[in-house]
């Protein structure tokens, strides 16, 4: 693998040497373009008059490019707007910053500019959250991927889950369960399980599938990130951060309607979706701005039973109190009622017991839900967000953030056990290891709640010490978790796994009510009632040793306080343990820009940690554990070549996880003894390319390989791949073409897909190995997008592929679905 990685990098080194030799006389020009109403002018052309040098502005109106030293006239121009000119002087080896330029255009004209430009629409944008310091992708020593709203609209992607199909290295394992506290979808990233738990860089709990109506972009920040984000929100593989839409200074918006149908038509709607996005200044001086995003979404399952209805409301208010002080107030409310995901588990019988190793050995009816769709669950996520920004000086700013994140669920969550006939019928099977039945169970939630409150203060600075530039963040973070989650189990009985005459719908709401316990059975009830507090401080600095060489360092100190846990009757749980724990999390990075703002080589050391619960040692005593630590070494190359037309990241990472708890042989004194000396190694390779080779054509492609194994563990899983690691090989691609100039400009088409290799969801000596097969899922879309309206037709899973996801489970995924959308923009 290392030899392949070195071979892959050779062309980049040769290419860098060539470009560096031809760029000694170049300088860099940077600036910003705004509209007359002070809104960032996106996708506007910025050129040096009479030359081939130039660029396009990004979503923030910013631009940067390199050109030979000299005096020029900078021209800001685009179809439908009046050109703006400004003199500029470029100095070799230096960065020239141009004062903010304004173009004379209204909101409607700007929309026409943005729609018709068509170039570099999916180019990665700078992130303020990935390092909690505003950095361009090439200045950041960490790998991260960004999926913007342009791509979501073009592909007709309606959820954050589906948006993630556009970036390498991540794979969905479980669809959302809708349960309060843990209800969001589960993914694997760099060999570790991760959920979407951050919103604008702080806590944002998810109870169900996250509607994308209020999503400006999704950031996949890779690698353990404990230094800046602590222990509760990220995983050792990375984190998912969704950035919300913000108010802007002019009136505008969009309403849209989408309908969908499975297989070949719309005779039975599988999807009915309505959205609205409206923005308006509240005061004449535009110091107070308001924006509302809302959606109603109804889905039918591709199976014979199953449906979901969801409402999303996301109002936001921006207040400019003075030239130095501003506030942002946001709320997100997601309400849902759905028939939840119904996975197949192994429990009573292992794959080895059943004599199976793959899905084709089973007789699952792919289109059968196995229970009635009126067995539903209500879910709710309500997030409140307040941010105050204060400009202390031209070099130092303060950001104070308050976040209240609340999840709730109540209702049923069916699931199934794969068993042999003997277990199902309670007598000797007619055929040895017969697999003709399943056990239908349920784990309901009873008014389960999980609340996270977070208060964070960040002081950012950007100043020079001598000739050395420093960009830093100093932060304080307080997080309070109040969990009142209650789960209880039910049993709907035995059902044949594939029968044309059995009434699967008899497992319905009425049957569920009969099973709901009038008095809780403590052996069948699982409370998670506790409170936790975390107090943290962190500092991180990016230091320009030269214009092209940057070093970064950071550290976090994190004090964790675990409170008592309780039973439903209010008594203290017998396994409750109060304890305090302090952890330190360092990080280091190095970036060398071989070609300034075009090609950089990077490396990092990053740390992540978690606070495990106390465990029982061999004497039977309960021991407070040490924090689990994940330490990553990563290196690679980032590019933004040919004026941003070729962007990408190639990296190799190595993550070692220590202090894992592993089981020991039970004794009379210790029925469940453990020791904290386990280790896991996860290493791999990732490559991502985003290109705009010719006007109108945009390409996204990614590939990843992950090699993960338990290096010190129970004998049952020693040196085996964890069942949480997903498929070793993943790939994604998307190709989009939009006619740039013609009588039907705005007409375009896209085609893409995802590949995942075999996934071992059961992998141990005692249970055997059970694998989900590899799959390739393809998607296509047509669209006509102009200034005032957009029409789109998409086909998801074009090949009608039957495929499965899961970890320890088998979860059937959606079949072919067509979606037709129309939007009016004002």
């Amino acid at each position: 693998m290392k030899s392949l990685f070195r071979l892959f990098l050779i062309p980049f080194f040769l290419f860098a040497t060539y470009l560096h030799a031809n760029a000694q006389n170049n300088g860099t020009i940077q600036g910003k373009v705004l509209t007359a109403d002070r809104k960032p002018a996106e996708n506007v052309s910025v050129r040096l008059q009479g030359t081939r040098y130039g660029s396009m502005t990004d979503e923030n109106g910013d631009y940067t490019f390199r050109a030979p030293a000299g005096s020029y006239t900078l021209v800001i121009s685009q179809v439908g707007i009046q050109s703006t000119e400004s003199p500029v002087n470029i100095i070799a080896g230096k960065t020239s910053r141009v004062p903010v330029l304004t173009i004379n255009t209204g909101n409607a004209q700007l929309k026409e500019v943005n729609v018709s430009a068509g170039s570099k629409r999916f180019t990665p944008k700078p992130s303020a959250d990935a390092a909690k310091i505003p950095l361009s992708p090439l200045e950041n020593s960490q790998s991260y991927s960004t999926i913007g709203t342009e791509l979501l609209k073009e592909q007709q992607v309606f959820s954050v889950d589906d948006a993630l199909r556009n970036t390498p290295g991540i794979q969905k394992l479980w669809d959302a369960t809708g349960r309060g506290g843990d209800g969001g979808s589960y993914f694997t990233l760099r060999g570790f399980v991760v959920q979407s738990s951050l919103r604008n860089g702080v806590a944002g709990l998810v109870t169900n599938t996250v509607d994308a109506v209020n999503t400006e972009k999704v950031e996949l920040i890779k690698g353990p990130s404990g230094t800046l984000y602590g222990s509760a929100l990220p995983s050792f593989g990375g984190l998912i951060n969704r950035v919300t839409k913000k108010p802007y200074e002019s009136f505008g918006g969009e309403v849209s309607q989408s309908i969908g149908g499975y297989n070949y038509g719309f005779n039975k709607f599988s999807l009915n979706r309505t959205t609205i996005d409206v923005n308006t200044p509240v005061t004449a001086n535009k110091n107070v701005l308001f924006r509302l995003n809302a959606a109603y979404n109804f889905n039918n399952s591709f199976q014979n039973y199953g449906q979901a209805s969801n409402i999303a409301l996301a109002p936001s208010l921006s207040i400019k109190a003075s030239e130095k002080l501003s506030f942002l107030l946001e709320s997100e409310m997601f309400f849902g009622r759905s028939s939840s995901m119904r996975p197949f588990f192994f429990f009573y019988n292992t794959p080895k017991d059943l004599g199976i190793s793959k899905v084709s050995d089973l007789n699952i009816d792919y289109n059968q839900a196995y229970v009635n769709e009126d067995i539903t669950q209500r879910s709710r996520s309500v997030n409140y967000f307040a941010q105050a920004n204060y400009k202390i000086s031209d070099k130092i700013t303060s950001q104070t953030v308050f976040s209240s994140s609340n999840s709730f669920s109540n209702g049923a969550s069916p699931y199934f056990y794969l068993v042999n006939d003997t277990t199902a019928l309670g007598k000797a099977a007619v055929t040895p290891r017969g697999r003709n039945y399943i056990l239908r169970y349920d784990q309901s939630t009873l008014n389960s709640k999980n609340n996270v409150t977070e208060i964070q203060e960040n002081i950012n600075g950007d100043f020079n010490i001598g000739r050395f530039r420093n960009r830093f963040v100093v932060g304080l973070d307080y997080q309070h978790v109040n969990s009142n989650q209650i789960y209880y189990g039910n049993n709907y009985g035995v059902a044949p796994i594939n029968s044309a005459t059995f009434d699967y719908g008899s497992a319905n709401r009425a049957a569920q009510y009969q099973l709901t316990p009038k008095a809780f059975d403590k052996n069948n009830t699982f409370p998670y009632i506790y409170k936790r507090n975390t107090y943290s401080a962190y500092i991180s600095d990016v230091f320009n040793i030269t214009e092209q060489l940057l070093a970064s360092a950071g550290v976090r100190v994190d004090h964790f306080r675990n409170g008592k846990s309780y039973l439903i009757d209010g008594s203290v749980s017998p396994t409750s343990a109060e304890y305090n724990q302090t952890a330190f999390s360092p990080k280091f990075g190095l970036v060398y820009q071989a070609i300034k703002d075009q090609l950089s080589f990077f490396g990092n050391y990053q740390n992540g940690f978690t606070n495990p619960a106390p465990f029982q040692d061999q004497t039977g005593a309960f021991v407070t554990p040490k924090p689990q630590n994940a330490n990553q070494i990563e290196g690679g190359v980032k590019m933004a070549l040919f004026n941003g037309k070729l962007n990408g990241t190639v990296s190799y990472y190595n993550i070692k996880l220590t202090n894992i708890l592993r089981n020991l042989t039970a004794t009379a004194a210790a029925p469940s003894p453990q020791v904290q000396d386990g280790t896991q190694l996860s290493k791999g390779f990732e490559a991502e390319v985003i290109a705009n080779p010719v006007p109108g054509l945009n390409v996204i492609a990614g590939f990843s390989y992950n090699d993960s194994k338990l290096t010190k563990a129970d004998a049952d899983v020693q040196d085996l791949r964890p069942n949480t690691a997903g498929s070793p090989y993943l790939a994604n691609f998307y190709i989009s073409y939009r006619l740039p100039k013609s009588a039907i400009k705005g007409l375009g088409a896209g085609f893409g897909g995802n590949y995942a290799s075999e996934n071992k969801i059961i992998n141990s000596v005692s249970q055997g190995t059970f694998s989900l097969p590899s799959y390739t899922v393809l998607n296509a879309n047509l669209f006509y997008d102009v200034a005032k309206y957009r029409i789109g037709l998409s086909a998801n899973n074009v090949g009608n592929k039957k495929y499965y996801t899961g970890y320890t489970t088998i979860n059937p995924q959606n079949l072919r679905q067509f979606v037709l959308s129309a939007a009016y923009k004002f």
Side-chain angles (χ1 to χ4, degrees), residues 473-688:
V473 60
V474 176
L476 298 174
D477 188 57
Y478 166 72
Q479 189 179 103
H480 172 72
V481 178
N482 184 3
S483 172
N484 190 17
Q485 303 171 62
I486 301 172
Y487 302 88
Y488 61 90
N490 284 324
N491 183 356
Y492 295 106
V494 178
I497 196 170
N498 199 326
S499 171
T501 59
F502 185 83
D503 182 12
Y504 293 100
S506 62
N508 53 25
R509 184 180 298 177
Q512 178 205 358
Y513 286 155
Q514 291 178 359
L515 291 170
T516 300
K518 294 180 175 60
F520 284 104
D521 176 2
K522 65 179 181 179
N523 295 320
N524 206 29
T525 305
F526 312 97
Y528 291 86
I529 304 172
Y530 59 82
K531 294 181 180 180
R532 293 172 178 165
N533 292 290
T534 306
Y535 307 85
S536 306
Y538 52 87
I539 183 170
S540 182
D541 183 64
V542 177
F543 182 75
N544 277 74
I545 299 173
T546 70
E547 277 283 319
Q548 295 171 267
L549 181 61
L550 295 82
S552 60
V555 67
R556 181 188 194 96
V557 57
D558 185 287
H559 183 65
F560 176 77
R561 291 187 176 182
N562 188 70
K564 294 178 180 178
S565 56
Y566 297 86
L567 301 178
I568 294 174
D569 61 10
S571 62
V572 177
S573 170
T575 60
S576 175
E578 288 186 280
Y579 68 96
N580 301 333
Q581 194 168 76
T582 300
F584 293 88
S585 179
K587 64 176 290 188
F588 303 96
L590 196 64
V591 173
Y592 175 65
Q593 296 196 37
I595 308 173
K596 186 77 166 67
D597 301 322
Q598 297 184 65
L599 184 70
S600 68
F601 298 93
F602 70 95
N604 66 61
Y605 164 82
Q606 294 192 176
N607 173 269
F609 62 99
T610 61
N611 304 101
F615 64 93
Q616 189 179 54
D617 66 13
Q618 288 178 296
T619 68
F622 278 90
V623 178
T624 299
K626 296 176 289 186
Q628 288 185 357
N629 274 289
N631 297 292
Q632 173 185 273
I633 299 294
E634 181 183 21
V637 59
K638 297 183 182 184
M639 68 193 87
L641 301 169
F642 309 114
N643 286 328
K645 292 184 177 182
L646 177 61
N647 301 270
T649 302
V650 179
S651 69
Y652 172 82
Y653 62 87
N654 185 302
I655 303 172
K656 185 176 182 180
L657 177 60
T658 59
N659 295 337
I660 301 174
L661 288 167
R662 62 185 185 91
N663 298 323
L664 299 174
T665 304
T667 65
S672 302
Q674 293 179 300
V675 63
Q676 196 182 16
D677 64 353
T679 58
Q680 179 181 339
L681 180 65
S682 185
K683 56 185 179 180
F685 167 84
E686 293 173 348
E688 180 178 35

Side-chain angles (χ1 to χ4, degrees), residues 194-195 197-198 201-204 229-235 238-239 452 454 479:
V194 63
Q195 287 185 285
S197 56
L198 284 106
V202 294
Y229 290 97
S231 61
L233 301 175
S235 90
L239 59 94
V452 177
E454 186 170 8
Q479 189 179 103

Side-chain angles (χ1 to χ4, degrees), residues 85-125:
E85 298 183 359
S86 176
V88 62
N89 185 41
I90 298 177
I91 303 172
K94 301 292 184 181
T95 297
S96 301
R97 292 180 171 84
V98 180
V100 174
L101 298 173
T102 302
I103 55 174
N104 185 20
T105 177
N107 192 52
Q109 289 176 303
L110 183 60
K111 288 180 181 177
E112 181 65 43
V113 170
N114 291 342
V115 167
S116 63
S119 297
K120 299 184 288 188
R121 289 179 297 118
F122 309 144
T123 300
K125 308 297 193 298

Side-chain angles (χ1 to χ4, degrees), residues 144-451:
Y144 70 92
S145 299
T146 303
I147 307 113
T149 186
E150 276 281 346
L151 182 58
L152 304 187
K153 288 181 179 179
E154 181 170 303
Q155 293 182 340
Q156 297 189 155
V157 166
F158 303 141
S159 71
V160 171
D161 289 6
D162 289 339
L164 290 168
R165 73 191 187 194
N166 292 291
T167 186
I170 190 167
Q171 178 186 22
K172 184 191 284 188
L173 299 179
W174 271 43
D175 295 294
T177 65
R179 304 192 309 190
D182 72 342
S185 299
Y186 286 78
F187 298 84
T188 183
L189 176 62
R190 295 192 171 183
F192 301 97
V193 173
V194 63
Q195 287 185 285
S196 177
S197 56
L198 284 106
R199 175 184 179 276
N200 297 329
V202 294
L205 289 185
V206 172
T207 309
N208 215 319
T209 302
V210 184
D211 197 294
V213 69
N214 190 39
T215 300
E216 185 65 32
K217 62 180 178 179
V218 182
E219 297 177 333
L220 188 64
I221 302 172
K222 301 177 181 180
S225 301
T227 306
L228 295 177
Y229 290 97
S231 61
L233 301 175
S235 90
F236 296 134
L239 59 94
I240 302 167
N241 180 48
R242 51 194 177 93
V243 179
T244 58
K245 296 177 179 178
K246 305 296 191 296
Y248 51 91
E249 291 186 352
S250 58
F251 177 77
E254 177 179 307
V255 292
S256 71
Q257 177 66 42
S258 302
I259 57 173
Y262 286 110
N263 288 320
Y264 293 102
F266 297 94
N267 54 324
K268 179 184 177 182
F269 290 160
S270 64
L271 171 71
N272 183 9
R273 176 180 175 83
T274 305
T275 70
I276 183 169
D277 177 1
V278 59
N279 184 90
T280 183
V282 177
T283 59
N285 61 6
K286 300 181 181 180
N287 285 340
V288 181
L289 312 171
F290 175 79
R291 188 172 187 176
L292 173 67
N293 281 274
Y296 167 76
N297 201 88
F298 176 83
N299 268 308
N300 266 316
S301 170
F302 69 92
Q303 295 176 325
N304 59 338
Y305 294 122
Q307 58 182 237
S309 59
N310 298 279
I311 295 174
L313 296 171
S316 57
L317 187 71
S318 172
I319 303 171
K320 183 180 179 181
S322 69
E323 290 300 319
K324 291 187 175 184
L325 179 63
S326 64
F327 299 94
L328 177 64
L329 306 175
E330 295 184 323
S331 176
E332 273 187 332
M333 294 166 279
F334 299 113
F335 306 92
R337 190 179 190 104
S338 64
S339 309
S340 65
M341 175 197 68
R342 306 173 184 95
F344 295 88
F345 282 88
F346 296 95
F347 182 70
Y348 293 102
N349 300 125
T350 68
K352 185 179 287 187
D353 294 336
L354 293 167
I356 58 177
S357 62
K358 54 187 181 299
V359 174
S360 58
D361 294 333
L362 297 167
N363 194 25
I364 294 173
D365 185 344
Y366 198 86
N367 294 298
Q368 179 59 253
Y370 293 101
V371 294
N372 201 302
E373 66 186 8
D374 68 358
I375 298 179
T376 60
Q377 179 174 242
R378 290 187 297 117
S379 63
R380 180 174 70 240
S381 294
V382 179
N383 296 318
Y384 302 106
F385 179 90
Q387 177 178 305
N389 294 316
Y390 183 72
K391 185 177 180 181
I392 299 173
S393 70
D394 290 339
K395 303 295 184 180
I396 301 176
T397 59
S398 166
Q399 179 192 74
T400 306
V401 179
F402 169 83
S403 174
S404 175
S405 189
N406 312 276
S407 71
F408 166 89
S409 69
N410 184 66
S413 183
Y415 63 96
F416 315 120
Y417 284 132
L418 295 164
V419 295
N420 60 31
D421 292 359
T422 300
T423 301
L425 303 177
K427 60 183 179 180
V430 177
T431 57
R433 289 182 173 176
R435 300 180 295 274
N436 300 302
Y437 298 91
I438 58 172
L439 302 182
R440 297 187 293 180
Y441 277 73
D442 175 80
Q443 189 173 83
S444 298
T445 54
L446 180 67
N447 296 323
S448 285
K449 300 176 183 178
N450 194 36
N451 306 317

Side-chain angles (χ1 to χ4, degrees), residues 700-734:
I700 298 173
F703 171 81
S704 68
Y705 168 73
N706 173 259
D707 177 16
S708 187
K709 67 178 180 179
L710 297 163
T711 49
K712 187 174 183 180
D714 302 345
D716 195 38
V717 293
Q718 177 69 37
D719 293 326
L720 296 180
R721 183 176 180 84
N723 54 25
T724 57
S727 302
Y729 295 93
L730 299 171
N732 65 283
F733 78 96
Y734 180 69

